[in-house]
Structure formats: structure tokens, C-alpha cells
Amino acid sequence: MGNLLRVLAEKPVGPKVDFFVDFEKAEPTDGEKEVHSQVAACLSQSAELLQQMKNYKGAGEEIKNAISNASNEEFQSMAWAAVSPLVQKLKVFYDFSETLDSCIIMLLRALTSTDRTPSEHLETQQALSKQFAEILDFTLSFDDLKMNNPAIQNDFSYYRRTKNRKRLDDIQNVTPQLNGEELEIPDDIANRMSLFYANPTPMLNAIANATTKFTKENPDIPLENTTDVICTMAAVCRVMTENPGYSSRFQREDTALFCLRVMVGVIILYDHVHPIGAFAKNAKIDVRATVKLLKEHPRSSETLLNALKYNTKHFNDEDTPKAIQQILS
């Protein structure tokens, strides 16, 4: 216990921030409005999509019956009728991930320009900072739901097997009610969807890929501009939550939890994008202070600590200090 307390009390690292980002009511300035309106149109769908994800039940029973009665056309037809609309819903989620990619790139372009420091960007472009945070919060929520719902991959795997069998056998009555209304997904999109859902955290992976793509396609913007904005966002969320002078300004009960979730989300994103990750000795993420806050804050949960352990890329690297691995164990 003594070693753990010593580790948590060690000198903090990362950017020093001392400002408040209004995640509740930030409104766009004139300079933010163009990007803000485009991102807002995308985010307006997020709550409904999360609700659909929560309600996703899958076609497990129908698939089980179809597999157990492989020669029974009625069971095959019932399974296909159950799976087809679910796969269309999975395509909607996948399509939304591609829209989010575009939003992330727009936001990063606005928040990483060289005319301001990362802190200045986040403090003066609060509406865009809020949208960036909302995307990370959605990403964490979506991926948590996906990881706890094996029906998603089961449904999509059955859909692909049935579709391939139909093509190979060229027997139309394998799926006797298959018609144009079911809008079969083209193979190239189905392949990309398969890769998307095979990832334990598909939305996070998509956001990380979009961020990496942004850094590669904009060589005039140093990589550090992007990663520094990300780690500064983590510091802002932490400081606003742990500092009573800031947290007392929260007007909604769930804002503290929102900050904690975004803090974890941006750290995971940083770990996926930065070459050395979030846990290396010279990383600009204050992991110790983050873990201390997550363990002590009444709005926190074990889920957020587990996300840092299991959803990051570099936590189990040999270069990750044992002390960091210890405080997260």
C-alpha cells in the first residue's frame, strides 16, 4: 500500500491547464460556426444510434434453429428474414463511423492550427472542443455496448455465410423470400464492415485511424500539434473534475461523469495515435493523476479503469513502467 501511495503522489506530468471549458452550454463563435454546424448535423444522430445499439437483441434463436435444421427451408427463410434488417442496422452504424471520421478531421484541422497553442485552441474554441468531447463520449459508449453484445458479430457472420452459400450453390430457394427490398450489401462494403466489427472497439479504432490519417495528410501540421491537443483535453477534463472551483460550476449532475469519460477516451486515443503511447515515462499524459481521480471520484466506475487497461495499445508494452501497471492492476 505504501508503494502505491508513493506512486500516486509522484510529481505530475503533462500540460498545465487552468481554464474551464463549458461542456454544457458552449456556443460557437463566428469563426467556429461553419465547422460546428457540419459536426452538429452528425452528432444529432448519436443519441438515437446509441439507443438502437442498446436495444439490439440479435437473431440468435432464429440462427440456431436454421443451423439445427439445415434442410428445412422454412427455418432458413425465418433466419434470413430476422437477420436481414439487423444487418442493415449494422450498416447504419458502420456508415456513421465513416461520418464521424470526417467530423474528427474537420475538428482537428480547426483545433491544431499553428497560430495558437493547444490550450489557446481549447479555451477560445470551446464549442468545437465540446463537440470533440462529445464524439469521444459517444465512441466510448458505443464500443462498450458492442463489446457486451456478441449477437452483433454472430448475426453478421451468419449473414455472410448464407449469402456466400447462396452464391456458390446458385440455389434461389436457399433464401426463398430474398428480394430487392432487402438491399443486399455489396461485397466490398461487407468486407469493410467485417473488419470494423471484428475490432473489440470499432468506433475508437475508426477515430484513431482518422486521426492518424489527418496527421499523415497534413505534413504542414506537426504531429505534436495533434497529440498535444489530445493530451491537453485530457488534462482539462481531469482538472475541471478534481478542482472544486471548476466542478462547482457544473449545472448538470452528469457533467462530472461526462468529463471522466472524455478524459479516459482521449487518453485511449492518444495512446493509439502517439508513437510512444500514453504510458511511457516521457509521455505527456499524467496517468498517475488520472488513475487517482478515477479511483477516488464518486461518479467514476471500474469500467473506466478497465478501459485504460484493456482498450489502450501500449499498456502491456515492455517500456510501460511497472509502477503504472501496478496502480491499474
Side-chain angles (χ1 to χ4, degrees), residues 18-298:
D18 189 20
F19 59 90
F20 182 85
V21 176
D22 192 347
F23 286 141
E24 296 175 339
K25 298 183 296 183
E27 294 293 332
T29 62
D30 289 342
E32 295 175 276
K33 284 182 177 178
E34 182 178 356
V35 172
H36 186 273
S37 64
Q38 296 180 63
V39 177
C42 170
L43 286 174
S44 66
Q45 307 171 54
S46 61
E48 173 61 25
L49 291 177
L50 278 182
Q51 191 59 48
Q52 290 182 22
M53 192 65 164
K54 289 177 183 177
N55 296 336
Y56 191 101
K57 301 302 182 185
E61 189 65 25
E62 292 86 350
I63 291 172
K64 180 181 177 182
N65 289 336
I67 293 174
S68 300
N69 301 273
S71 61
N72 187 309
E73 291 183 0
E74 182 179 0
F75 281 118
Q76 308 310 309
S77 178
M78 290 173 61
W80 184 265
V83 165
S84 291
L86 292 173
V87 170
Q88 292 300 325
K89 188 173 294 185
L90 294 180
K91 184 177 183 297
V92 171
F93 298 149
Y94 169 76
D95 289 342
F96 187 72
S97 76
E98 295 199 320
T99 305
L100 275 188
D101 289 357
S102 300
C103 291
I104 281 290
I105 289 174
M106 283 191 288
L107 289 171
L108 287 174
R109 187 172 290 113
L111 293 171
T112 60
S113 59
T114 56
D115 58 329
R116 305 178 202 182
T117 66
S119 291
E120 289 170 343
H121 272 296
L122 298 180
E123 186 173 12
T124 62
Q125 296 172 286
Q126 295 212 0
L128 299 187
S129 301
K130 176 176 178 286
Q131 288 182 321
F132 189 82
E134 288 170 342
I135 289 177
L136 267 296
D137 181 59
F138 168 83
T139 297
L140 221 60
S141 298
F142 182 94
D143 286 348
D144 185 55
L145 291 169
K146 186 267 179 184
M147 280 192 291
N148 288 286
N149 194 342
I152 291 173
Q153 282 184 269
N154 292 339
D155 291 348
F156 194 68
S157 295
Y158 177 81
Y159 169 84
R160 297 204 75 188
R161 289 197 308 270
T162 302
K163 185 179 176 183
N164 290 337
R165 186 171 66 248
K166 175 183 177 298
R167 180 184 296 116
L168 290 173
D169 295 343
D170 194 28
I171 300 176
Q172 295 300 324
N173 64 1
V174 169
T175 54
Q177 296 184 11
L178 183 62
N179 55 50
E181 294 179 358
E182 283 156 341
L183 299 175
E184 282 193 61
I185 298 172
D187 286 345
D188 58 334
I189 297 177
N191 289 337
R192 294 199 296 270
M193 287 177 62
S194 182
L195 292 174
F196 177 78
Y197 286 110
N199 194 289
T201 54
M203 283 292 176
L204 173 68
N205 188 60
I207 296 303
N209 287 341
T211 304
T212 300
K213 177 182 177 182
F214 170 79
T215 62
K216 290 181 178 179
E217 293 183 352
N218 294 273
D220 56 313
I221 300 176
L223 173 63
E224 290 74 18
N225 284 36
T226 302
T227 55
D228 284 357
V229 162
I230 295 172
C231 70
T232 302
M233 175 71 84
V236 167
C237 292
R238 175 177 54 78
V239 169
M240 288 194 343
T241 308
E242 68 186 5
N243 186 330
Y246 289 137
S247 60
S248 63
R249 295 169 62 179
F250 296 160
Q251 296 185 12
R252 295 200 302 262
E253 185 178 348
D254 62 349
T255 300
L257 178 58
F258 176 84
C259 289
L260 294 174
R261 290 174 55 79
V262 173
M263 174 183 69
V264 170
V266 291
I267 290 174
I268 296 171
L269 178 62
Y270 182 96
D271 190 64
H272 279 257
V273 172
H274 197 283
I276 66 170
F279 302 103
K281 288 183 179 180
N282 55 342
K284 295 182 180 180
I285 295 290
D286 194 340
V287 176
R288 293 180 177 85
T290 297
V291 173
K292 183 175 186 293
L293 177 62
L294 290 174
K295 289 187 173 183
E296 295 178 353
H297 199 281

Side-chain angles (χ1 to χ4, degrees), residues 7 281 316-328:
V7 168
K281 288 183 179 180
N316 290 314
D317 286 0
E318 292 183 1
D319 293 338
T320 298
K322 298 300 181 184
I324 295 296
Q325 293 179 332
Q326 179 187 359
I327 62 175
L328 270 168

